[in-house]
Amino acid sequence: VRTICLPDVEAAERVGELPEGVRVLVWDATGDPPLGIEDVEFFVGRYIGKPASADALARMPRLQVLQLVSAGVDAWLPALPRGVTLCNGRGVHGASTAELAVAGMLAVLRRIPDAVAAQRRHAWQPRAADGLTGKHVLIIGAGDIGRRIAAAISPFDAESTLMARSARSGVLAIDALHDQLPLHEVVVLAVPHTPETHRLVDAEFLAAMRDGALLVNIARGAVVDTDALVAELARDRIRAYLDVTDPEPLPADHPLWSAPNVLITPHVGGGTAGWQQRAYTLVREQVERFLRGEPLVNVVT
Ligand SMILES: NC(=O)c1ccc[n+]([C@@H]2O[C@H](COP(=O)([O-])OP(=O)(O)OC[C@H]3O[C@@H](n4cnc5c(N)ncnc54)[C@H](OP(=O)(O)O)[C@@H]3O)[C@@H](O)[C@H]2O)c1
């Protein structure tokens, strides 16, 4: 018998039928674990809420795989036991996150927040705005989300430049960042939060952006130095659309809320309708690969 553990009953239902001889436990790594937890080899972390603690993961000494259903894994890394393979949910939230990045980009460029504010006052107040047509968009991160954003904006006659760790056909290396920043009116962050990308967007980065340029962050808040961003926004020099902030949740008295030219959504890029089915289809396929001894997909470490 091989034992796997899923975070809740709904996940167990959605994973569906697994090969014979697989025992499924349900535990979200909080509270008392179920009987047999010490046999778990494959554990799926919960999507919403805090990551599992090192103590909780230590209840599973035979653990080989920690599977997440989010693309970002940064919050889980500190407690990851040695020798355990970490896999993410790359692809599960890609389409919805790319969609929100484009929605936020268009909303800021077309001044939708001003229209919403005017509508609340019943005020008919046309305002000049720019659009995406003819814009040059620098997308930092050429993975699932970055490529989807590039594809989504191409019908708007925007030109995108993709950037990743290493160069390849159609993708520039991150080394070219400071040459590229002044050439683009929109800069999108679609990278994971890692020691290399921590506060990648600092005062120098922001200063290299063009006047009036738009920064879009749908990656992780800590990829941006929030104080430097607040300072640059306060100078009325650039604009921003942020689905993620550092800190999160953003405290009610944080200056970012009322900085000029910023649109904020509360980290809602992923998790739109249908995500559970995509997530648990990935989990089932992954468990099947694991049981057959085949290489896993979405391996992060
Ligand atoms: N807002 C939300 O709700 C939401 C939802 C889903 C995901 N996210 C965030 O978005 C991130 C990206 O997701 P994804 O699915 O697109 O990931 P992905 O497919 O793994 O792609 C990540 C991309 O980032 C690049 N990258 C990594 N480190 C870099 C560095 N130091 N400098 C430059 N580029 C670097 C990678 O470069 P290479 O191609 O060279 O490896 C790759 O192109 C996730 O990690 C997550 O934090 C947010």
Side-chain angles (χ1 to χ4, degrees):
V1 175
R2 312 286 300 269
T3 307
I4 72 162
C5 185
L6 298 167
D8 50 52
V9 175
E10 192 198 338
E13 278 164 11
R14 291 193 188 266
V15 163
E17 218 168 297
L18 285 165
E20 238 174 82
V22 176
R23 177 170 54 152
V24 179
L25 302 182
V26 171
W27 189 47
D28 68 358
T30 66
D32 289 334
L35 231 54
I37 196 71
E38 62 284 355
D39 297 326
V40 170
E41 296 176 70
F42 191 110
F43 177 77
V44 180
R46 61 176 177 174
Y47 178 57
I48 295 180
K50 286 204 165 73
S53 66
D55 285 348
L57 295 175
R59 306 296 292 260
M60 299 176 278
R62 299 182 60 195
L63 188 64
Q64 292 182 51
V65 181
L66 171 55
Q67 173 75 53
L68 300 181
V69 292
S70 57
V73 300
D74 38 341
W76 287 74
L77 281 175
L80 184 70
R82 231 168 220 285
V84 170
T85 302
L86 177 65
C87 298
N88 72 1
R90 184 173 190 263
V92 171
H93 306 285
S96 65
T97 304
E99 180 180 281
L100 189 66
V102 176
M105 191 186 299
L106 288 169
V108 174
L109 293 172
R110 302 303 301 264
R111 305 184 73 160
I112 303 293
D114 290 343
V116 172
Q119 184 181 350
R120 288 223 179 91
R121 300 190 307 270
H122 297 196
W124 186 267
Q125 240 168 22
R127 289 224 171 145
D130 53 354
L132 202 46
T133 308
K135 288 277 189 305
H136 300 90
V137 181
L138 180 63
I139 303 171
I140 305 176
D144 184 40
I145 295 173
R147 282 186 316 223
R148 285 178 188 273
I149 294 170
I153 62 177
S154 84
F156 292 107
D157 292 330
E159 247 178 69
S160 28
T161 307
L162 283 159
M163 244 181 194
R165 281 178 292 196
S166 51
R168 50 194 176 256
S169 169
V171 178
L172 299 179
I174 189 75
D175 311 350
L177 180 64
H178 283 270
D179 296 334
Q180 290 296 320
L181 280 173
L183 307 178
H184 294 82
E185 295 91 6
V186 181
V187 178
V188 182
L189 305 173
V191 286
H193 178 227
T194 65
E196 290 75 41
T197 63
H198 183 73
R199 301 204 173 156
L200 172 74
V201 181
D202 55 8
E204 196 193 340
F205 181 115
L206 295 167
M209 286 174 65
R210 297 169 74 113
D211 286 346
L214 167 63
L215 177 73
V216 175
N217 188 8
I218 47 83
R220 281 291 183 268
V223 175
V224 175
D225 177 340
T226 304
D227 293 344
L229 178 62
V230 169
E232 200 72 1
L233 288 167
R235 272 181 219 119
D236 228 346
R237 242 228 350 120
I238 60 161
R239 299 177 279 179
Y241 163 58
L242 313 169
D243 182 48
V244 285
T245 60
D246 176 26
E248 251 177 52
L250 194 61
D253 59 354
H254 198 285
L256 188 57
W257 283 116
S258 46
N261 301 315
V262 63
L263 173 63
I264 300 170
T265 52
H267 199 151
V268 289
T272 51
W275 79 267
Q276 293 98 333
Q277 202 48 56
R278 291 192 294 280
Y280 290 105
T281 301
L282 166 73
V283 168
R284 188 185 56 242
E285 290 168 0
Q286 205 64 327
V287 169
E288 288 168 353
R289 282 183 204 102
F290 175 71
L291 296 171
R292 291 194 297 259
E294 288 172 12
L296 301 175
V297 300
N298 290 13
V299 174
V300 182
T301 60

